[in-house]
């Protein structure tokens, strides 16, 4: 699918995501490319909560003449969503008859989605499946850009995969895109980004898309608190998955190497038999997500929290 | 609010001294300040007075720290104030905004001197009237009162504390260097005769306590640390829980309540004096020391057959609109006199809305406005020879 | 206070947290989260009743962590928490007042308040989380940024030497000065307890890590690697290249660095009012 650049009106591309994903980098690449293709370009963005889970969006408009820097609602020719829920949130901005929706299926659940602290409560995260969304737009693709980039050896190149996908909708020559991209990425990653860009194009052009009808993986908070009882029977190891940000500190500093991150990037006690209950992981968890209790306390939990499962209610421990 | 008892002690006081004594009488038990001319006597007096009543005086390292310490003390539940002038008042603005948003009662006396910048430290001015209203960034509630005599400095300082506590807003007492250093006899109220107001305190169960709940009078009860509420106070926009939010609906509602506090309590806040306004054709609007010259000029004009009157706002912000409109009802012309290049006149012009000519007498040379200047203007206006444009002397 | 209170290893950090606000807003791997644990653990170990505790914090990543602690918390203006805390403590000597601040908040915009709080020996505990960067605003140079480091406002590398906050506090007269790193959590907790128990002004510098901005932009490694280098080679290597006054010598001095028994401000006030 290609937007019609023959019109005299500006072409509108809306890029959305959350902090730290590269929304601004993607926007700058596109804006610079359009400039070099001879268009007038306007780009306006909201950012600043970059590391704090805040949403980030950027309007890019280009054409022979562009006046307003912002895209009126319902007039985006392309909506590039680097995060799934953000994409859904911005759907009304898409031109209903011909707007193209390109979304990364990556789910970054923001902290405020977990305000309900009840165990097992649903996080306030959208449960819509990608195929349901694609039925509602004029045209679009949902790709797992992070996985594509990881397959190339660098998950951080996910935004370049998306640029590759975006390039199929805008139609400038691939070598022009790559010339601009190579100026915006660290020189040692130019080759990776070149591959990522081509991968993004191939995924769309070859229709090599993921199965969209699969139900979404359960977000972190919906999972019960994970507990594990190491073989020593002296300690209980617990994690609050929704608090864990996957920084890997516990995995690295564990003297027994018994921790790991699971596929959701949440710490798990992978080798309970090796755990000595030293509590280093608990002490140094920057997210205060890990609790290691000794055996005596573990018994107390079971008594106090009955009929709840053991260690299900941290509030009853004292 | 301030019943004066004839039983009270008669003293000769300087305006700055009266401010300090009024504050102590109002229940102020904490003062943090920084030396600056021409307000330093307030700090010096407080340093002597507060230890006598179990209060604490501290000279901080700078103007900003003084304002911060005052708010810290007030958040601890103690009535607190600071005093400053010109440059110091500029430095206090950020934390005055904190007081407005977090609803921390406090009183700031600003003894106005010639500006801008270091200006004329020992000369009077009324050039901070707009800064007192709009000095900190963002829309915010603030009350500003402008006493015109040493006695009034005393009682308006008491009233400033009462308003600050009752409404949980910052209150600024502005007076100029002349009044600050003027010695006058003051009849102090007899002990125990002043009506004093405490802020609404949170009572009842700490469970489900919401520190910024929307109460009917728009002033939420304040949690006192140590009482078990364990509340959070922040300068970020917050929900009624006290915790930060940027939810547009919540922010809008919270700010509307904050700004609405003053409208809701206008009757309590507004105060003005009127002299011969019933039939006034030329209405002079003046405040602070300038109003005293204006009072004399009005009397002289009356003696010469000119129907002049004086409207003296004691509360400058929010401006006593209703009283002003009544006073100006019969006037054919208005004359706003102030020691600046034209500040409160903007508010008068807004209220008059072009219906009547508004003349202005300003003075920015570090000298007070004198009755003869005003009388000449009044007479020219009465003879039809004065226009608004010609009145711009400053 | 050399006699340490008994450490309760079963301390439940969550009993002191406003759990409804979690997960906290800090970046993955941020050292401030560990400092948060150390703080509440120290409050517990020092036997402070949470209703009698007041936390005053400034602006920045450090200033936001106070809100996660279930006590009386005041999040005030940038650089001014020591000024607010001074007023609060003088008005309410019955409260235990703790200031949480950062390197920018405490040493740059609030530097004046720090030296005077030290000089007065005002009865506060000031905990400065030092991550060498303005994180909240996106990574600008701070008074403790090491020389040559990249920040958004030193694109060619930092040319200014860093403050040694502990030496500054000691010279200005703080009653107790100490430094500890988040990596050594139990030692940090113990140091904080000492600070809380000390009458007069205690200044505790906590070596923390900004992993997402400072660490990433300067190739300082993954969060755990940054933290492990708090004692080891990575940071000190840079500091030794600081020509004349290395901010952190090769072996970072930690623990209690200075202590005086000079009476605190409150003790002196009461002496004056007895006169």
């Amino acid at each position: 699918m290609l937007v019609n650049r023959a019109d005299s009106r500006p072409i509108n591309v809306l890029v959305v995501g959350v902090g730290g994903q590269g929304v601004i980098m993607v926007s700058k690449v596109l804006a610079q490319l359009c400039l070099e293709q001879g268009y007038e370009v306007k780009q306006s963005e909201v950012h600043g909560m970059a590391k704090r889970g805040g949403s980030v969006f950027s309007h890019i408009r280009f054409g022979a003449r562009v006046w307003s820097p912002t895209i009126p609602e319902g007039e985006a020719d392309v909506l590039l969503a680097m995060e799934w829920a953000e994409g859904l949130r911005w759907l009304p901005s898409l031109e209903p008859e011909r707007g193209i929706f390109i979304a990364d299926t990556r789910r970054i659940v923001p902290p405020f989605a977990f305000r309900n602290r009840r165990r097992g409560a649903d996080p306030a995260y959208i449960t819509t499946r990608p195929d349901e969304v694609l039925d509602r737009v004029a045209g679009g693709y949902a790709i797992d850009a992070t996985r594509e980039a990881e397959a190339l050896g660098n998950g951080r190149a996910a935004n370049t995969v998306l640029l590759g996908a975006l390039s199929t909708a805008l139609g400038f020559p691939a070598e022009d895109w790559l010339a601009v991209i190579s100026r915006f990425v660290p020189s040692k990653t130019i080759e990776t980004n070149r591959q990522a860009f081509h991968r993004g194009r191939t995924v769309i052009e070859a229709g090599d898309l993921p199965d969209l009808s699969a139900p979404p993986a359960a977000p972190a908070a919906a999972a019960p608190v994970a507990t594990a009882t190491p073989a020593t029977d002296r300690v209980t190891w617990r994690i609050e998955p929704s608090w864990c940000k996957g920084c890997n500190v516990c995995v690295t500093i564990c003297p027994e190497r018994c921790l790991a991150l699971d596929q959701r990037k949440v710490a798990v006690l992978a080798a309970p038999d090796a755990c000595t209950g030293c509590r280093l992981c608990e002490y140094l968890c920057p997210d205060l997500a890990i609790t290691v209790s000794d055996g005596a306390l573990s018994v107390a939990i079971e008594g106090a929290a009955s009929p709840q499962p053991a260690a299900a209610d941290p509030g009853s421990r004292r | 609010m301030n019943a004066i008892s004839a039983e009270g002690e008669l003293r000769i006081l300087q305006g700055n001294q009266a401010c300090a004594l009024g504050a102590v009488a109002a229940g102020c038990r904490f003062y943090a300040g920084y030396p600056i001319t021409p307000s330093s006597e307030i700090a010096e007096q407080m340093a002597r007075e507060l230890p006598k009543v179990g209060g604490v005086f501290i000279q901080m390292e700078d103007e900003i720290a003084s304002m911060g310490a005052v708010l810290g003390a007030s958040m601890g539940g103690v009535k607190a104030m600071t005093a400053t002038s010109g440059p110091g008042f500029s430095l206090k603005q950020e934390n005055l905004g904190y007081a407005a948003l977090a609803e921390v009662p406090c009183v700031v006396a600003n003894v106005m001197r010639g500006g801008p910048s270091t200006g004329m430290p020992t000369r009077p001015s009324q050039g901070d009237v707009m800064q007192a209203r709009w000095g900190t960034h963002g829309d915010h509630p603030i009350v500003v009162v402008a006493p015109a005599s040493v006695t009034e400095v005393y009682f308006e300082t008491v009233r400033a504390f009462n308003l600050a506590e009752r409404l949980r807003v910052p209150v600024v007492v502005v007076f100029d260097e002349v009044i600050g250093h003027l010695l006058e006899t003051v009849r102090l109220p007899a002990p125990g005769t002043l009506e004093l107001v405490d802020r609404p305190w949170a009572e009842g169960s700490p469970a489900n306590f919401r520190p910024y709940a929307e109460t009917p009078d728009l002033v939420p009860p304040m949690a006192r640390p140590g009482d078990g509420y364990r509340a959070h106070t922040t300068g970020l926009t917050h929900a009624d829980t006290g915790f930060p939010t940027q939810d547009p609906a919540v922010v809008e509602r919270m700010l509307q309540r904050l700004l609405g506090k003053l409208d809701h309590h206008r009757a309590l806040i507004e105060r003005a004096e009127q002299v011969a306004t019933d039939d006034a054709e030329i209405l002079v609007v003046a405040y602070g020391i300038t109003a005293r010259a204006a009072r004399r000029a009005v009397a002289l004009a009356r003696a010469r057959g000119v129907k002049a009157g004086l409207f003296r706002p004691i509360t400058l912000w929010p401006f006593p609109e209703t009283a002003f409109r009544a006073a100006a009802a019969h006037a054919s012309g208005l004359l706003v006199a102030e020691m600046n290049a034209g500040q409160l006149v903007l508010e008068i012009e807004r209220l008059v809305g072009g219906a009547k000519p508004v003349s202005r007498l300003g003075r920015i040379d570090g000298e007070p406005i004198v009755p003869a200047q005003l009388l000449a203007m009044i007479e020219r206006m009465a003879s039809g020879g004065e226009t608004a444009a010609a009145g711009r002397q400053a | 206070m050399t006699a340490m209170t008994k450490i309760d290893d079963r301390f439940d950090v969550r009993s002191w947290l406003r759990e409804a606000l979690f997960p906290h807003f800090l970046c993955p791997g941020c050292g401030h989260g560990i400092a948060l644990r150390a703080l509440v653990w120290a409050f517990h170990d020092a036997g402070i009743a949470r209703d009698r505790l007041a936390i005053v914090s400034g602006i920045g990543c450090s200033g936001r962590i106070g809100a996660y602690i279930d006590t009386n918390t005041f999040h005030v203006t940038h650089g001014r928490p020591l000024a607010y805390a001074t007023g609060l403590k003088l008005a309410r000597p019955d409260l235990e007042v703790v200031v949480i601040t950062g390197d920018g908040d405490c040493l740059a915009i609030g530097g004046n308040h720090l030296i005077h709080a030290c000089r007065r020996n005002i009865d506060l505990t000031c905990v400065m989380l030092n991550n060498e960067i303005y994180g909240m605003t996106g990574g600008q140079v701070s008074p403790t940024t090491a020389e040559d480091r990249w920040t958004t406002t030193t694109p060619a590398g930092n040319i200014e030497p860093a403050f040694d906050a502990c030496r500054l506090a000691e010279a200005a007269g703080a009653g107790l000065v100490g430094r500890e790193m988040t990596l050594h959590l139990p030692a940090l907790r113990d140091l904080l307890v000492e600070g809380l128990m000390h009458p007069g002004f205690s200044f505790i510098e906590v070596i923390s890590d900004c992993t997402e901005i400072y660490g990433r932009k300067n190739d300082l490694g993954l969060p755990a690697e940054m933290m492990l280098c708090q004692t080891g080679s990575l940071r000190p290597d840079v500091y030794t290249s600081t020509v004349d006054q290395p901010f952190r010598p090769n072996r970072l001095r930690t623990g209690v660095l200075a202590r005086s028994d000079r009476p605190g401000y409150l003790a002196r006030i009461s002496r004056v009012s007895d006169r």
Side-chain angles (χ1 to χ4, degrees):
Chain A
M1 257 175 309
L2 204 58
V3 300
N4 179 7
R5 283 197 275 118
D7 286 2
S8 57
R9 66 173 189 87
I11 303 297
N12 302 323
V13 179
L14 180 59
V15 184
V16 301
V18 299
Q21 282 193 296
V23 167
I24 305 302
M25 179 271 191
V26 163
S27 310
K28 283 184 173 159
V29 166
L30 176 58
Q32 182 65 30
L33 176 71
C34 295
L35 187 74
E36 292 177 12
Q37 300 285 326
Y39 292 102
E40 179 173 350
V41 187
K42 288 197 196 300
Q43 182 204 340
S44 62
E45 61 201 32
V46 163
H47 66 108
M49 290 298 281
K51 292 300 169 196
R52 286 159 286 282
S55 79
V56 181
F57 63 87
S58 176
H59 296 235
I60 300 104
R61 311 191 74 199
F62 63 95
R65 201 82 183 90
V66 184
W67 298 103
S68 167
T70 54
I71 303 170
E73 182 157 310
E75 293 188 21
D77 297 285
V78 182
L79 171 60
L80 178 66
M82 305 184 69
E83 199 279 335
W84 182 242
E86 287 299 313
L88 299 189
R89 203 150 73 80
W90 286 93
L91 268 185
S93 63
L94 203 55
E95 212 290 328
E97 300 298 325
R98 55 173 191 277
I100 302 170
F101 179 63
I102 303 175
D104 191 346
T105 53
R106 184 178 186 186
R107 307 157 71 85
I108 299 176
V109 185
F112 44 79
F114 293 108
R115 275 297 153 80
N116 187 341
R117 302 294 322 132
R118 276 187 302 106
R119 197 77 56 210
D122 286 333
Y125 192 92
I126 196 95
T127 53
T128 319
R129 292 197 317 269
D131 61 332
E132 295 170 327
V133 174
L134 295 184
D135 285 346
R136 281 157 44 194
V137 298
Y141 320 95
I143 62 178
D144 191 342
T146 305
R147 196 170 61 190
E148 299 293 349
E150 280 169 353
L152 295 169
N154 185 352
R156 298 195 67 82
N159 47 22
T160 309
V161 173
L162 288 167
L163 273 171
L166 176 65
S167 72
T168 65
L170 295 177
F172 301 119
E175 51 275 23
D176 291 358
W177 281 91
L178 284 166
V180 176
I181 290 170
S182 62
R183 299 208 300 275
F184 278 85
V185 299
S187 53
K188 62 186 174 191
T189 67
I190 288 177
E191 178 54 28
T192 309
N193 278 288
R194 194 187 62 78
Q195 291 173 16
F197 179 80
H198 283 302
R199 182 62 197 153
R201 283 177 79 89
T202 311
V203 164
I204 303 268
E205 285 167 350
D208 189 8
L209 297 164
D211 177 13
L212 301 181
S213 58
V225 170
T227 66
T229 305
T232 60
D233 274 341
R234 288 193 301 103
V235 293
T236 300
W237 189 93
R238 302 171 54 248
I239 181 135
E240 190 73 61
S242 68
W243 292 19
C244 173
K245 299 197 182 93
C247 69
N248 214 42
V249 164
C250 57
V251 177
T252 309
I253 51 94
C254 172
E256 311 304 329
R257 296 282 182 268
C258 54
L259 299 170
L261 294 188
D262 67 9
Q263 74 284 356
R264 298 167 303 163
K265 303 262 188 218
V266 169
V268 291
L269 182 58
D273 292 348
C275 176
T276 63
C278 75
R279 307 184 76 177
L280 201 54
C281 53
E282 175 187 355
Y283 290 176
L284 296 184
C285 172
D287 298 323
L288 297 93
I290 298 175
T291 310
V292 182
S293 330
D294 64 23
L297 203 53
S298 176
V299 172
I301 298 165
E302 284 164 355
S306 177
Q308 296 277 318
D313 182 2
S316 66
R317 295 218 291 142
R318 293 186 73 80
Chain B
M1 222 171 188
N2 310 316
I4 304 177
S5 163
E7 306 293 315
E9 186 188 355
L10 194 64
R11 289 183 63 180
I12 296 181
L13 295 175
Q14 196 189 52
N16 284 344
Q17 263 183 309
C19 178
L21 295 180
V24 173
C28 175
R29 292 297 177 267
F30 183 86
Y31 183 101
Y34 186 81
I36 187 162
T37 304
S39 73
S40 300
E41 294 85 359
I42 300 176
E44 290 166 353
Q45 187 78 24
M46 287 304 251
R48 291 193 292 271
E49 298 296 328
L50 280 175
K52 294 182 201 165
V53 293
V56 177
F57 169 90
I58 184 169
Q59 180 175 317
M60 293 297 284
E61 54 272 16
D62 59 37
E63 296 279 2
I64 300 170
S66 308
M67 194 68 228
V70 162
L71 297 184
S74 182
M75 294 192 302
V78 172
K79 293 184 186 179
M81 82 169 291
T82 185
T84 188
S85 298
F89 193 51
S90 295
L91 287 167
K92 302 222 185 283
Q93 294 302 331
E94 186 200 4
N95 289 295
L96 272 170
Y98 185 91
L101 181 74
E103 301 182 62
V104 184
C106 62
V107 172
V108 177
N110 174 23
V111 187
M112 292 182 285
R113 70 189 217 186
S117 189
T118 312
M120 292 180 282
T122 62
R123 310 300 304 179
S125 161
Q126 293 179 323
D128 303 350
V129 168
M130 278 296 176
Q131 187 192 18
R133 175 63 192 90
W134 293 114
T136 197
H137 56 278
D139 294 305
H140 59 276
I142 194 163
V143 172
V144 182
V145 298
S149 70
V150 176
T151 297
E152 201 166 75
V153 166
Y154 184 95
F155 288 102
E156 282 302 300
T157 303
V158 173
R159 198 169 75 97
F161 272 96
N162 286 346
L163 290 173
E165 294 286 319
R166 176 68 188 84
L167 304 175
R168 292 184 64 183
V169 292
V171 180
V172 181
V173 183
V174 292
F175 46 99
D176 48 85
E177 184 273 342
V178 175
I179 294 174
H181 286 159
L182 182 67
L183 282 163
E184 290 186 311
T185 52
V186 177
R187 171 78 67 186
L188 295 181
T193 58
L194 278 176
E195 184 196 338
L196 301 183
V197 176
D198 277 337
R199 68 193 75 169
W201 288 114
E203 291 170 346
S205 164
N208 304 319
F209 172 69
R210 290 175 304 147
Y212 292 96
E214 193 167 311
T215 53
D217 69 351
L218 305 183
V219 185
M222 192 163 171
R224 183 172 9 213
D227 285 0
Y229 294 98
R230 301 203 295 271
H232 184 61
T233 306
T234 177
L236 291 162
T237 52
H238 40 262
D240 62 2
T241 56
F243 294 107
T245 181
Q246 293 192 43
D247 180 325
V250 177
V251 169
E252 158 89 13
R253 194 175 169 86
M254 173 264 184
L255 284 177
Q256 290 293 5
R257 176 184 64 75
L258 199 66
L259 299 170
K261 280 199 296 191
L262 297 193
D263 265 341
H264 192 83
H265 294 278
R266 265 182 182 269
L268 192 66
I269 303 167
E270 291 181 356
R271 181 178 268 198
E273 185 194 15
Q274 302 185 35
V275 179
T277 53
D278 286 351
D279 61 345
E281 288 168 3
I282 307 294
L283 183 68
V284 182
V285 180
Y287 51 94
I289 190 68
T290 307
R292 297 170 67 146
R295 182 191 300 268
R296 175 72 180 151
V298 164
L300 291 171
R302 287 263 167 186
R304 297 181 190 195
V306 178
K307 286 186 177 172
L310 169 65
F311 181 79
R312 179 172 76 90
I314 300 171
T315 307
L316 291 187
W317 305 110
F319 192 80
E321 292 183 12
T322 310
F324 169 77
R325 288 185 203 279
H330 308 293
S332 58
L334 287 98
L335 172 59
V336 182
E338 47 186 343
M339 273 189 283
N340 55 44
Q343 297 194 10
L344 197 69
V345 66
L346 300 173
E347 179 72 357
I348 302 300
E349 285 173 347
R350 180 183 76 81
L351 291 169
V352 171
K356 293 169 184 179
V358 178
S359 297
R360 187 176 69 75
L361 176 63
R363 192 152 188 182
I364 53 173
D365 59 356
E367 294 290 336
I369 291 170
V370 295
Q373 281 181 294
L374 277 157
L375 181 62
M377 284 279 287
I378 293 168
E379 289 193 309
R380 279 207 299 279
M381 289 172 72
S383 64
E386 182 59 53
T387 67
R392 296 193 183 273
Q393 292 191 347
Chain C
M1 293 289 162
T2 43
M4 217 62 266
T5 49
K6 186 175 162 294
I7 301 299
D8 180 0
D9 272 333
R10 291 188 196 169
F11 167 63
D12 176 12
V13 61
R14 293 175 63 151
S15 67
W16 270 78
L17 299 179
R18 289 169 171 153
E19 288 194 284
L21 302 183
F22 277 75
H24 60 50
F25 86 112
L26 298 165
C27 303
C30 176
H32 288 11
I34 304 170
L36 172 60
R37 174 187 294 275
L39 273 162
V40 295
W41 201 346
F43 296 148
H44 170 83
D45 282 0
I48 297 171
R50 71 185 78 190
D51 280 341
R52 312 308 297 179
L53 174 66
I55 291 175
V56 184
S57 62
I59 297 295
C61 301
S62 62
R64 296 291 284 272
I65 73 170
Y68 294 107
I69 305 175
D70 183 18
T71 181
N72 306 289
T73 50
F74 301 96
H75 177 226
V76 302
T77 49
H78 193 19
R80 318 302 169 201
L82 280 169
Y84 278 73
T86 298
L88 179 58
K89 181 68 182 182
L90 291 179
R92 292 290 304 276
D94 58 311
L95 297 176
E96 185 70 41
V97 182
V98 175
V99 168
I100 303 176
T101 177
D103 41 305
D105 196 57
C106 186
L107 298 176
I109 188 168
N112 198 25
H113 311 307
L114 172 66
I115 57 176
H116 289 277
C118 293
R119 179 178 64 85
R120 288 188 188 105
N121 205 18
I122 177 86
D123 308 55
L124 304 171
T125 303
C126 175
V127 182
M128 186 190 87
L129 309 186
N130 180 4
N131 60 5
E132 301 173 40
I133 196 83
Y134 285 82
M136 183 74 90
T137 47
Q140 294 81 17
V141 69
S142 101
T144 58
T145 305
E147 284 187 55
D148 297 334
R149 288 281 195 240
W150 183 94
T151 73
T152 58
T153 47
T154 57
N158 178 25
I159 57 170
E160 298 182 11
F163 257 137
D164 183 333
C166 288
R167 286 170 57 192
L168 180 72
E170 181 186 355
L176 184 137
V177 177
R179 177 194 289 135
E180 198 46 81
M181 49 198 94
T182 55
L183 177 66
H184 292 165
L185 178 99
L188 173 58
R189 171 201 59 198
D190 293 351
L191 179 64
L192 290 168
V193 171
E194 283 218 50
L196 291 166
M197 308 290 261
H198 186 88
F201 188 72
S202 317
F203 178 81
I204 311 285
E205 177 186 9
V206 180
I207 302 297
S208 183
D209 292 307
C210 172
T211 52
E212 274 292 317
I213 299 175
Y214 194 61
R216 204 144 62 78
K217 294 293 185 184
N218 285 293
D219 284 333
L220 301 181
L222 297 169
E225 292 166 351
M226 277 188 86
M227 198 192 299
L228 291 166
C229 289
Q230 287 176 346
T231 54
S233 57
L234 191 143
R235 287 180 169 192
D237 272 356
V238 170
Y239 294 127
T240 48
S241 72
T242 300
V243 190
D244 44 356
Q245 290 288 326
F247 163 48
R248 287 180 199 159
N250 226 337
R251 294 209 178 279
L252 197 59
R253 286 177 63 216
T254 56
V256 174
L257 304 181
R259 188 200 301 268
S260 89
D261 294 326
R262 196 159 67 91
Y265 193 85
L266 287 175
R268 296 175 73 96
I269 283 194
S270 52
R271 213 179 302 156
V272 168
S273 50
D274 289 346
R275 256 178 217 167

